Amino acid sequence: MGKNTVPCVLNNDLKTQIMKAKILVVGAGGIGCEILKNLSLSGFQDIEIIDLDTIDVSNLNRQFLFRKEHVGKSKAVVARESILTFNSTINVKAYHDSIFNPEYGVNFFKQFSLILNALDNRAARNHVNRMCLAADIPLIESGTAGYSGQVELIKKGVTQCYECQPKSQQRSFPGCTIRNTPSEPVHCIVWAKHLFNQLFGEEDPDQEVSPDTEDPELKKDGTFTETESGNVKRTSTRQWAQEIKYDPEKLFNKFFQDDIKYLLSMENLWKTRKPPVPISWEKSIKQVDGSSDKEIANSVDMQIWSLSKCSQVFADTVSILKEELGTIAGNIIPAIATANALIAGLVVLYAFRVLQDEFQKCPAIYLRQKSVYSRVILATDNDLQKANPNCYVCSSKPLVNVFVNVNNMTVNEFENEILKNTLNMVAPDVILDGKGVVVISSEAGETEVNNNKKLSELGIIDGSILKADDFLQSYELTININHYEAKEKDDPLFKFIANPAELKAKQDGVENGTAVKMDDDSKKESSNENEDDDDNDLVFVDNDFPQASSSKRRKLNPSVEDDDLILLEELVD
Ligand SMILES: Nc1ncnc2c1ncn2[C@@H]1O[C@H](COP(=O)(O)OP(=O)(O)OP(=O)(O)O)[C@@H](O)[C@H]1O
Ligand SMILES: [Zn+2]
């Protein structure tokens, strides 16, 4: 065992396993840095690190392998250099790259004894999950959000996989509803969130807030004519705001007057809806609304603001945020260094167990904030979670039922929205079963002619079966196509169901064998805008991991008599 390590607390068998093990750490961020420090100080001799990112100044408060002088450099490369200073005898390899790169195929994964995920997005987690299943290498998955966190072992044939339980998606809405016809309070909140990002956060062209001239409703009959205020172009909101130096009055007039006037010129939108009323800065700020500024029940927290007060708050907020543009954190819940350290400690303790084939001693473990209801901050499931026999990833014959309008959806949309964004394939090949038609090929250019064809033009109709194959992930999926027509504008473009029992229940409820009714849960599963969760630790623990098992729920809501913190000896025994 290398010098500078503390091997004396480990038994001989474990020491031998540690010396022999080759470990891949995916992600060298908050948790990744802690894991790498623990691995190197525990005597691991063969470590590989992959991370696509470079070091940002905002990482320095918790990613302790990085210093100020490293800002702008590769995380993987600097993490390697830093752990070599703890123990120079380690064989460490760094890849400044994405784990999605086809170079990291099944054979790459097969060389490792164990993979440790320290990622921050679901797409990459799903991908590593599939690669580990294909390579039959155990994976320890982990994550934190603020004071909460989780560690889970994923081992083919022993535990459930990362995708066994449907994850609740952040509910998303068609962009044109948000931009043109928000009708529920939540639409306005999403609009405001998008506006914030366009002005002060991470700019994203998909989150433009100006009117959407691509709204399908506009095309129903005729066109709309541009009014004098029709000078509102879908240029970058950020660029425009910078040009006008974040002048609050100009911003206000654009969002609440000019854009609204422009929307009113889209006459089709208002045939069945109440049209919005434009508000100008001048009028709004002068408006005195005596009745609505009153305090409710003398509470300082509950007041109805008048229009003038709202406008003033808008202007004040813009001015404050404009000054602090450079320091606004991306996440509302800050990453907590101690939570990362605790979780990374548990990851390496579980790694010890996995190396000794003690899988049964690795039930999922949860870190949560101590509260008045519970003194437990670390809780485990009683047992390993069993695989879902209907999992469309790890079952022996993965299958999904996809509900889609075969006359409207193009092959290109099918590939991007459904196969890649939703079913998380990377480079799928798809054939129409029984007909030998190659619908999608992963070879560049081979099926380009199909891209803009509707599915039905290629003979894909209700009842068709597609065979999708992702060579990189060694993953084959049977897709049963069900024709479905959205009834409401806000209905999802498509949905999918993996569990045949759920499918049967839905079909029983179908009238005249036509479209399947969409319920709220199924809307959550299917989404054409569901990439929101990328790099978002905020929703991770609640939404990204499989639903808590009943044992977890019991553990997470223990009565006050329950034991305090799980003792660490229990975990290291
Ligand atoms: N596909 C991927 N391939 C390799 N590394 C990835 C991939 N996706 C994400 N990562 C890395 O996983 C790490 C996750 O770490 P962490 O959650 O601390 O994020 P961060 O970007 O360092 O910090 P924050 O998001 O809180 O500012 C990041 O360093 C990120 O670059
Ligand atoms: Zn599974």
Side-chain angles (χ1 to χ4, degrees):
M1 192 157 288
K3 51 185 177 168
N4 303 329
T5 59
V6 278
C8 17
V9 291
L10 308 176
N11 66 46
N12 282 337
D13 176 44
L14 179 54
K15 274 189 225 169
T16 315
Q17 297 301 333
I18 287 175
M19 295 288 282
K20 282 199 311 199
K22 180 167 180 164
I23 309 283
L24 174 67
V25 179
V26 189
I31 297 179
C33 281
E34 288 290 330
I35 289 179
L36 286 163
K37 180 244 318 170
N38 295 344
L39 290 176
S40 59
L41 294 177
S42 316
F44 282 86
Q45 292 295 294
D46 204 351
I47 303 172
E48 301 204 355
I49 312 164
I50 181 164
D51 196 301
L52 50 72
D53 210 0
T54 50
I55 297 158
D56 189 84
V57 75
S58 65
N59 301 145
L60 302 182
N61 66 350
R62 65 190 184 285
Q63 298 176 18
F64 300 118
L65 299 182
F66 310 141
R67 300 270 175 267
K68 208 170 159 190
E69 62 270 23
H70 298 137
V71 169
K73 294 188 177 159
S74 156
K75 284 185 171 178
V77 171
V78 175
R80 173 183 176 276
E81 287 163 5
S82 295
I83 61 169
L84 280 173
T85 64
F86 304 154
N87 184 348
S88 59
T89 65
I90 312 176
N91 180 18
V92 202
K93 202 164 171 186
Y95 305 86
H96 180 195
D97 210 344
S98 167
I99 195 65
F100 282 103
N101 191 320
E103 276 174 38
Y104 313 111
V106 175
N107 285 337
F108 172 81
F109 277 78
K110 276 190 176 154
Q111 30 160 352
F112 297 100
S113 333
L114 176 60
I115 316 290
L116 307 180
N117 261 359
L119 287 158
D120 59 357
N121 64 87
R122 198 182 290 173
R125 285 186 167 104
N126 286 342
H127 180 70
V128 177
N129 175 50
R130 290 172 192 204
M131 298 307 294
C132 289
L133 290 171
D136 197 6
I137 301 295
L139 164 68
I140 299 180
E141 176 56 79
S142 60
T144 59
Y147 292 100
S148 307
Q150 183 164 342
V151 179
E152 186 183 27
L153 167 68
I154 293 167
K155 163 88 179 127
K156 188 176 174 179
V158 177
T159 70
Q160 65 177 8
C161 84
Y162 182 69
E163 295 169 89
C164 266
Q165 306 296 335
K167 311 274 190 297
S168 57
Q169 299 278 4
Q170 285 180 312
R171 211 174 149 203
S172 63
F173 308 92
C176 50
T177 302
I178 301 302
R179 292 188 268 267
N180 291 0
T181 52
S183 54
E184 295 172 24
V186 66
H187 295 157
C188 301
I189 293 167
V190 173
W191 182 88
K193 193 181 144 202
H194 288 187
L195 175 63
F196 183 89
N197 281 341
Q198 295 308 101
L199 292 178
F200 309 110
E202 239 172 76
E203 212 187 350
D204 178 350
D206 290 340
Q207 295 188 357
E208 256 309 334
V209 286
S210 306
D212 194 338
T213 53
E214 296 298 310
D215 193 325
E217 276 198 64
L218 294 171
K219 300 191 179 117
K220 270 189 192 148
D221 53 49
T223 54
F224 65 94
T225 47
E226 290 195 359
T227 62
E228 32 159 344
S229 59
N231 56 353
V232 187
K233 280 197 252 126
R234 296 276 308 279
T235 48
S236 149
T237 304
R238 170 72 61 86
Q239 192 191 332
W240 178 75
Q242 281 167 343
E243 278 163 21
I244 58 150
K245 300 198 165 47
Y246 283 85
D247 181 325
E249 289 186 32
K250 287 192 178 139
L251 287 173
F252 188 97
N253 278 334
K254 173 185 157 49
F255 299 128
F256 303 110
Q257 177 179 255
D258 297 349
D259 283 359
I260 302 298
K261 280 189 187 168
Y262 190 67
L263 281 173
L264 288 171
S265 72
M266 301 171 169
E267 284 165 13
N268 271 349
L269 298 182
W270 317 114
K271 284 187 174 156
T272 54
R273 289 189 183 84
K274 196 172 157 210
V277 180
I279 313 168
S280 76
W281 170 261
E282 258 205 338
K283 272 198 194 149
S284 75
I285 208 70
K286 280 188 199 138
Q287 185 172 331
V288 183
D289 183 348
S291 60
S292 58
D293 248 349
K294 272 192 299 190
E295 282 188 8
I296 299 174
N298 292 331
S299 162
V300 281
D301 299 330
M302 290 194 24
Q303 296 174 14
I304 298 177
W305 287 355
S306 66
L307 183 56
S308 64
K309 172 115 186 191
C310 290
S311 309
Q312 196 55 60
V313 169
F314 175 88
D316 293 347
T317 310
V318 168
S319 307
I320 294 166
L321 292 175
K322 181 179 67 176
E323 300 304 323
E324 296 188 356
L325 209 53
T327 56
I328 291 170
N331 282 336
I332 298 163
I333 297 185
I336 308 284
T338 40
N340 285 342
L342 263 164
I343 288 297
L346 293 168
V347 167
V348 175
L349 287 174
Y350 271 27
F352 292 167
R353 292 181 175 183
V354 171
L355 292 178
Q356 296 174 292
D357 287 336
E358 294 178 339
F359 302 124
Q360 296 305 325
K361 288 190 178 172
C362 301
I365 182 156
Y366 310 91
L367 167 70
R368 61 188 211 127
Q369 207 173 344
K370 209 164 163 177
S371 75
V372 281
Y373 304 109
S374 152
R375 292 174 296 144
V376 176
I377 67 164
L378 283 174
T380 62
D381 275 347
N382 289 338
D383 301 302
L384 296 180
Q385 290 297 315
K386 294 257 166 343
N388 168 6
N390 298 312
C391 175
Y392 69 91
V393 175
C394 72
S395 64
S396 56
K397 288 192 177 141
L399 180 144
V400 284
N401 275 276
V402 169
F403 295 79
V404 60
N405 189 328
V406 293
N407 301 322
N408 281 356
M409 180 162 279
T410 63
V411 171
N412 199 25
E413 284 166 342
F414 185 79
E415 177 175 359
N416 290 322
E417 304 294 349
I418 300 186
L419 299 181
K420 290 185 175 169
N421 287 350
T422 307
L423 298 173
N424 213 56
M425 295 182 119
V426 175
D429 288 284
V430 179
I431 55 164
L432 177 53
D433 199 35
K435 302 267 187 316
V437 177
V438 180
V439 182
I440 297 166
S441 165
S442 57
E443 289 294 324
E446 221 173 69
T447 46
E448 220 175 81
V449 292
N450 291 348
N451 278 358
N452 294 322
K453 288 193 180 149
K454 310 286 186 205
L455 297 179
S456 55
E457 289 178 61
L458 287 169
I460 302 168
I461 52 170
D462 188 58
S464 291
I465 298 173
L466 299 176
K467 296 279 183 190
D469 180 356
D470 192 310
F471 179 73
L472 177 64
Q473 297 177 333
S474 286
Y475 173 49
E476 285 174 25
L477 177 67
T478 301
I479 303 173
N480 290 343
I481 297 288
N482 301 263
H483 177 62
Y484 138 76
E485 288 181 13
K487 288 197 175 128
E488 303 290 327
K489 185 181 165 214
D490 287 351
D491 277 348
L493 275 182
F494 62 87
K495 62 172 281 185
F496 76 93
I497 295 178
N499 183 348
E502 199 188 331
L503 182 69
K504 187 159 184 311
K506 300 253 164 193
Q507 278 176 344
D508 288 347
V510 171
E511 283 172 34
N512 306 326
T514 54
V516 170
K517 186 176 165 291
M518 298 287 167
D519 56 26
D520 262 343
D521 279 352
S522 53
K523 271 186 193 164
K524 270 188 238 149
E525 280 169 34
S526 70
S527 150
N528 59 337
E529 290 187 311
N530 59 10
E531 292 305 291
D532 249 1
D533 57 333
D534 268 16
D535 297 302
N536 188 349
D537 275 350
L538 186 73
V539 292
F540 177 67
V541 166
D542 289 329
N543 294 343
D544 227 4
F545 271 108
Q547 296 297 308
S549 64
S550 52
S551 61
K552 175 192 166 190
R553 273 194 291 273
R554 272 201 308 282
K555 288 273 190 175
L556 291 187
N557 298 299
S559 65
V560 268
E561 288 86 43
D562 270 1
D563 280 351
D564 215 334
L565 193 70
I566 291 178
L567 293 175
L568 279 186
E569 300 95 83
E570 258 183 58
L571 293 163
V572 235
D573 64 352

